[in-house]
Amino acid sequence: MSTPSRRSANWFGAEGRAGMTARSWVRNQGYSDEVFDGRPVIGIGTTWSELAPCNAHQQQIAESVKRGVWQAGGFPLEFPNMALGETLMRPTTMLYRNLLAMQAEETIRANPLDGLVLLSGCDKTTPGLLMAASSVDLPTVMVTGGPMLNGKYRGSEVGSGTAVWQAEADLVAGRIDQEECYFIEKCMSRSNGHCMTMGTASTMACVVEALGMQLPYAASWPAVDSRRFATAQDTGKRIVDMVAEDQKPSDVLTREAFRNAIRANAAIGGSTNAVVHLIAIAKRVGVELTVDDFDLDGRDVPTLVNLQPSGKFLMEDFCYAGGLPAVLKELGDLVHRDAITVTGRTMGENIADAEIHNTEVITPIDRPFQGVGTGTAVLRGSLAPGGAVIKQSAASERLLKHRGPAMVFEDVDEYYAVCKDDDLDVDENTVLIVRNAGPKGYPGMPEVANVPVPKKVQDAGYDDIVRISDGRMSGTAYGTVVLHVTPEAAAGGPLAFVRTGDVVSLDVAERRLDLEISEEEVERRRAEWEAPANPYERGWPRLYVDHVMQASDGADLDFLVGKSGRYVPRDGH
């Protein structure tokens, strides 16, 4: 029998009823005595589900991880977590990210696990699982599921998600019909995997690699590439060593690691959603991180990666061009190379041999795809005193400084009801305001901010106008869209008091977003405003609305911030 040198030994090495119960019921799966000899028990936490198409191949990845764990002398046990499929769940998976984090955290704490390999893919599964692991602080490595193969449409390459927004705009404008939309959708998804654009799934995969929490190149191997499964096997071997070393997320997720992730996000033209997720992860592990850090640490970073939606190529091309290690190496001194990673080596050691194999996809830093300061910008002003963000690389240059009359919609449904009307009082100077899409207001802060340009404006020859919202935008989307306006309208932020016809000014270079009315008028409108009541009487939505924090605080629940630590049973109980 094992001795209580590992956490799992408090279950499998215990004497009497407690040990007998733990061992006996595991034996019914056909395990022999060797698994109870004190070897580390490795939990393989999946978010597999046929309701989460991006993660539907995780069972194969889990088998590869198990091979590595067995090979290194560990005992792998697979367990499920809540699957968050962005494409199918309503109203938004962001409503459930914190629930996944809480469920996974409690599952990990309650079971005889010494180390973790966490399998993610679709947008919110990656941050949700990493939030959980950060709170428990057991040795952990992540394996993201990898992107789909490039989409192919009528002789050109199309990106998942991005092609949807393009097709929607073309459909609204009458350039294509619904039958063509059906054809396009069949061309986008040719294999297992998550979006192959630089959407939120690909962004978070790269961000986790930049944090040092998954093995090098793991972010970019296509989901069906044999090297993804080899990397998963290597991960299984590595986690056994990490348990012996007791290398924990708190050892890896340092301030320097988060700065690497912010700069990587800027260099790859990553999703603005990374802002919310990284802040939430940092608060779990106890690292001070604010929305302003994304502007400060990203301002000197050029966009090196030419990927949709900001550019031309897709994740399969990014992989063959050298993947994230090539980007990090090209950033030179902008990367904290001494930061420790789950490999047991430093980031500098991990990327030392990386090379750029296609300078059209990953551009050299002296000839970048877009210049410095083209990543996520953080705006402040009278309309966003708590901050707002804009993805500059996906915006129209002509609109980065703009002043125009607001057209206000209380919610996204109100906008969609009129966006095709030819008599809508809107032109290319109009600033569309879609409010009540924030964490409390929707609830869940859905990806609805990038509403299509009104048909009337498209017919006049303009494919972009300024749009402002307290909601989010898919990482696969594009346009001059100001997001995450904080405080949100439902929390009594200034966005709640904007009226149609008010002048709004945007100046990205100066990092300003302002409502051009007097403070006295704002206060007069505030006095007339009534805070919305929680519309939910029970269940998770009730708990969520009562406790969710603002986007600038990571939109986590207030009582989930921080660590729970490792639960160890006492006296075998």
Side-chain angles (χ1 to χ4, degrees), residues 383 398-408 425-433 465-468 480 498-507 512-517:
L383 192 53
R398 64 181 176 84
L399 293 173
L400 293 178
K401 185 173 184 178
H402 182 79
R403 182 175 180 271
M407 177 169 283
V408 180
D425 187 17
V426 62
D427 61 25
E428 69 277 11
N429 296 310
T430 301
V431 176
L432 288 183
I433 305 283
I465 62 174
V466 174
R467 287 153 279 178
I468 298 173
T480 309
V498 185
R499 295 181 179 174
T500 294
D502 290 345
V503 175
V504 173
S505 63
L506 168 68
D507 191 333
R512 297 293 304 181
L513 181 66
D514 291 294
L515 175 62
E516 296 186 6
I517 62 174

Side-chain angles (χ1 to χ4, degrees), residues 45 68 74 187 272 283 314 351 378 519 554:
C187 299
T272 51
K283 285 183 176 294
L314 296 166
I351 64 177
V378 177
E519 291 184 13

Side-chain angles (χ1 to χ4, degrees), residues 274-449:
V275 177
V276 178
H277 298 319
L278 281 171
I279 291 174
I281 295 164
K283 285 183 176 294
R284 294 295 188 100
V285 82
V287 171
E288 183 65 29
L289 192 69
T290 71
V291 67
D292 295 307
D293 290 318
F294 289 81
D295 202 318
L296 180 65
D297 288 332
R299 194 178 280 236
D300 295 332
V301 181
T303 303
L304 300 182
V305 179
N306 180 4
L307 249 68
Q308 296 181 29
S310 302
K312 172 183 176 182
F313 296 99
L314 296 166
M315 283 296 290
E316 190 179 350
D317 308 305
F318 179 57
C319 172
Y320 307 148
L324 190 72
V327 174
L328 296 177
K329 185 176 182 181
E330 190 66 18
L331 288 177
D333 291 340
L334 290 170
V335 170
H336 288 276
R337 290 185 289 247
D338 291 336
I340 196 67
T341 73
V342 292
T343 64
R345 302 187 301 272
T346 65
M347 181 61 74
E349 290 171 322
N350 285 350
I351 64 177
D353 297 328
E355 296 180 27
I356 298 176
H357 303 299
N358 185 333
T359 55
E360 209 181 343
V361 179
I362 302 174
T363 58
I365 196 166
D366 58 351
R367 291 179 284 113
F369 173 59
Q370 294 185 6
V372 296
T374 51
T376 298
V378 177
L379 313 174
R380 291 188 184 271
S382 61
L383 192 53
V389 302
I390 185 170
K391 184 174 179 177
Q392 296 177 87
S393 62
S396 300
E397 187 174 357
R398 64 181 176 84
L399 293 173
L400 293 178
K401 185 173 184 178
H402 182 79
R403 182 175 180 271
M407 177 169 283
V408 180
F409 296 91
E410 292 301 321
D411 55 46
V412 68
D413 294 329
E414 184 179 25
Y415 175 73
Y416 273 101
V418 300
C419 68
K420 296 181 182 180
D421 292 355
D422 290 330
D423 59 351
L424 190 65
D425 187 17
V426 62
D427 61 25
E428 69 277 11
N429 296 310
T430 301
V431 176
L432 288 183
I433 305 283
V434 177
R435 61 190 175 203
N436 296 308
K440 291 181 179 291
Y442 197 82
M445 202 181 179
E447 294 177 337
V448 298

Side-chain angles (χ1 to χ4, degrees), residues 119-147:
L119 309 185
S120 65
C122 197
D123 297 10
K124 311 307 177 295
T125 57
T126 300
L129 290 178
L130 190 50
M131 288 160 68
S134 298
S135 288
V136 180
D137 212 25
L138 284 174
T140 301
V141 187
M142 297 204 69
V143 180
T144 52

